Every structure is written in C-alpha cells, then in structure tokens.
Amino acid sequence: MFRTIASSVASRATASGSSISLCRPPVLARSLAPRLVASERPRFSSITITFVKAADGSEVTVPAQVGQSILEVSMANKYDIEGACGGECACSTCHVFLTEADLETFPEPDDDEADMLDLAPNVTDQSRLGCQLRLKKENDGMRVTIPEGIVNLMAS
C-alpha cells in the first residue's frame, strides 16, 4: 500500500514539474546543522608525548590517549620499547626516565615495580616502568627518556 501511495505522490509531483524526495530530509535541514572545521572539533582525550633516546638524543613525538600506559603508546606507535612481559610488571625492559615534574603526576611505584626496577640497569631517582604509568590529561607534552642498556631478563 505504501508503494502505491508513494508512487501516486511521486507521479503527481512529476506531472506538476516539482520534485519530491521521500527518502531524504530536505536540504534546508542539513544546511542548518552546525558544521565544525577541523580546528574546532573536540579532541577526545588525545595528548602527545615525546620519546627521547638517551644514547643519541633522537626524539619522536607521538599521539597518545588518556588512560594508555607509556608502554602501550610506544607499541601502538611502533616505537622501540620492548616490554618483554607484555606489560605485566614482570621484567624491566620498559624502564624509562621521567622529569621530576612528570614523576609527581603519577602515584609512587608499588612493591612489584620497585622490585623490577632493582633489576634494571642505569636506575636513577627518575626511573619508572612504562607499563605502570597510565597517562592523564596533564601529561600532554611530557618527555619520556629511554635509557641505554635495557636488559631483557625474559630472554635469559
């Protein structure tokens, strides 16, 4: 029945010289909808962090999402932090250095992380495991230094 009514309305509209669309809203409704240019679109929890290699000073800035760990960000961006245990705090291959200001934005390391850091080479007061650091909005623009001499104890 709907097809009969629809074709009747369409044939009358065609006969009178006007066009009608039964499937789409009128063009006017679409033109009144607000449009955002790229710079006005909200950035949903998107931040950037910079990885710095201590060995040569090279830097790479990558996108990250709030809630990701530093290890997850490095893996998502194919940056070379190993993370041999898959982020389970069972190795020290995701050992990183942070600035004092960035360290203050994270909770103190728990006993498991402290134990793994004891096994890492070149540990300093600014050392943390990347798998244990979940990013927050205030970490936007932070610099993460990758120390020299990361040892993969899982491969031994």
Side-chain angles (χ1 to χ4, degrees):
M1 174 148 174
F2 176 75
R3 286 183 177 213
T4 309
I5 295 170
S7 47
S8 171
V9 170
S11 62
R12 281 192 218 142
T14 307
S16 67
S18 64
S19 64
I20 188 166
S21 172
L22 299 174
C23 298
R24 306 183 240 172
V27 175
L28 178 63
R30 276 187 274 144
S31 66
L32 295 176
R35 294 184 182 187
L36 297 175
V37 294
S39 62
E40 295 172 335
R41 290 186 187 134
R43 293 175 49 187
F44 295 104
S45 302
S46 182
I47 61 174
T48 60
I49 64 172
T50 301
F51 290 108
V52 181
K53 284 189 180 180
D56 61 7
S58 63
E59 297 183 5
V60 176
T61 300
V62 297
Q65 298 297 318
V66 169
Q68 281 185 307
S69 71
I70 291 175
L71 178 61
E72 291 168 341
V73 172
S74 71
M75 290 179 165
N77 290 285
K78 298 183 183 357
Y79 193 76
D80 57 352
I81 295 179
E82 185 174 351
C85 69
E88 297 296 323
C89 196
C91 71
S92 60
T93 59
C94 63
H95 173 215
V96 296
F97 298 141
L98 302 179
T99 65
E100 283 295 326
D102 287 328
L103 277 173
E104 292 174 9
T105 66
F106 296 104
E108 291 291 319
D110 62 15
D111 290 341
D112 291 335
E113 182 179 0
D115 289 345
M116 287 297 113
L117 282 170
D118 286 342
L119 302 173
N122 306 320
V123 174
T124 70
D125 291 339
Q126 298 173 319
S127 292
R128 292 296 301 267
L129 295 181
C131 65
Q132 299 301 298
L133 303 173
R134 296 270 168 205
L135 297 170
K136 301 174 217 146
K137 198 72 163 157
E138 61 259 27
N139 298 124
D140 191 19
M142 77 182 282
R143 298 171 62 80
V144 178
T145 303
I146 312 304
E148 294 182 63
I150 296 294
V151 176
N152 182 354
L153 296 176
M154 300 289 284
S156 304

